[in-house]
Amino acid sequence: MIQQMLAFFVYFFSSPSIMSVGLAVVFGAIWLACYRPPLIAKPWLWAVLAGGAIAAPIAIAITFFPLRFGVSWVYSSLWSQETLTQWALLASIPSMYLFGLVREGFKLLPVVGYWWRMDRKMEPKLGLAAGAVSGAGFGILEAQWTLSYILSSGWSWEKVQIEGLVALAGFWESFFVIGINVASCALAGWGLARGWGWQCYLLAALGYLLPNYTYVLISKGLITGVQAEFIIAALALAATGVVLWLRERKSEA
């Protein structure tokens, strides 16, 4: 398993292209602009951004290998494959939520470090901004990996001409998944500053569960791939709206 993780890290950092990195940065900058983080007034936020980016491959590797293996072992020990397939709609929820907790925990580490540096006293608005910055770093690095895979798998503009907008689904999804990453970590950072750290952390983990649950719905034939993409977009917009409402509500207060 260690060899698999090492191979994953090598692949993760050897596959980026200029186009995939550029698109990921642009996508992340668009979402981050909604939160207007004080990156100039608070230079330490750049370290939070870098920390979120560093957390991405580590969190992905942990969920892909030891955690996924452990969950599969537990499930197979308790139930047969036939039972798991039959009850996939329910059985997938605990594991996906666990993966969300791990990912959100890694995303939150740079925010916690910044909060600790501030003597554990931080304005909720700044906590929200720090969370958004860390989430953007995480989302950008994850997106460039996804986009690199799409671009290296034979994607071209001719494919768009043949398949239509469906050929752009991977780019659409990457854009909105970054939005979910930013919003979920912003919520967790806001909660940390407000003294509601663990409560908001548990809510933020839904930022992984909800969009990824659409794949289970697709596998069961309950929704189509196109419908899933629109659901992910709606989740990103709704989560962003709620977090920005918290930001402005606090500002008015």
Side-chain angles (χ1 to χ4, degrees):
M1 187 178 299
I2 294 177
Q3 290 180 339
Q4 289 177 316
M5 293 180 69
L6 291 175
F8 168 79
F9 283 120
V10 171
Y11 172 74
F12 191 98
F13 290 106
S14 63
S15 60
S17 65
I18 295 177
M19 185 174 180
S20 64
V21 173
L23 281 173
V25 170
V26 170
F27 289 172
I30 291 172
W31 286 106
L32 198 56
C34 298
Y35 298 84
R36 304 193 302 274
L39 290 169
I40 297 178
K42 305 286 185 181
W44 259 89
L45 287 177
W46 289 102
V48 175
L49 179 71
I54 293 171
I58 299 173
I60 294 171
I62 289 175
T63 53
F64 267 27
F65 299 106
L67 195 59
R68 194 176 298 272
F69 174 81
V71 169
S72 298
W73 181 83
V74 171
Y75 275 17
S76 61
S77 300
L78 297 174
W79 300 287
S80 66
Q81 187 60 46
E82 182 181 355
T83 302
L84 290 173
T85 302
Q86 183 180 358
W87 293 93
L89 290 174
L90 290 176
S92 58
I93 293 176
S95 59
M96 284 189 177
Y97 188 63
L98 178 61
F99 296 160
L101 289 173
V102 172
R103 286 166 57 93
E104 207 61 43
F106 273 93
K107 273 196 287 182
L108 197 56
L109 283 176
V111 184
V112 172
Y114 185 57
W115 171 71
W116 198 272
R117 181 180 177 273
M118 302 285 288
D119 294 326
R120 294 179 290 179
K121 295 177 182 178
M122 190 162 56
E123 286 293 321
K125 187 175 180 179
L126 180 58
L128 188 149
V133 167
S134 182
F138 189 103
I140 288 170
L141 214 68
E142 182 181 40
Q144 68 80 21
W145 174 55
T146 304
L147 293 171
S148 292
Y149 176 79
I150 294 172
L151 294 171
S152 64
S153 63
W155 185 91
S156 64
W157 285 109
E158 284 104 10
K159 193 173 182 180
V160 178
Q161 294 173 353
I162 295 171
E163 299 181 9
L165 294 178
V166 176
L168 297 174
F171 299 92
W172 167 287
E173 182 175 328
S174 293
F175 176 75
F176 285 106
V177 166
I178 291 179
I180 293 174
N181 273 310
V182 174
S184 63
C185 198
L187 173 64
W190 178 83
L192 179 67
R194 284 294 304 267
W196 300 340
W198 69 268
Q199 296 96 326
C200 289
Y201 165 62
L202 294 178
L203 281 175
L206 294 175
Y208 179 84
L209 168 63
L210 295 178
N212 280 274
Y213 193 69
T214 59
Y215 294 109
V216 181
L217 298 177
I218 292 173
S219 68
K220 291 297 180 180
L222 297 176
I223 62 173
T224 65
V226 173
Q227 289 172 330
E229 299 298 343
F230 278 101
I231 290 173
I232 291 172
L235 289 171
L237 294 174
T240 302
V242 169
V243 176
L244 289 179
W245 175 78
L246 289 173
R247 179 183 183 275
E248 297 306 319
R249 177 172 173 268
K250 184 58 185 176
S251 296
E252 292 172 3

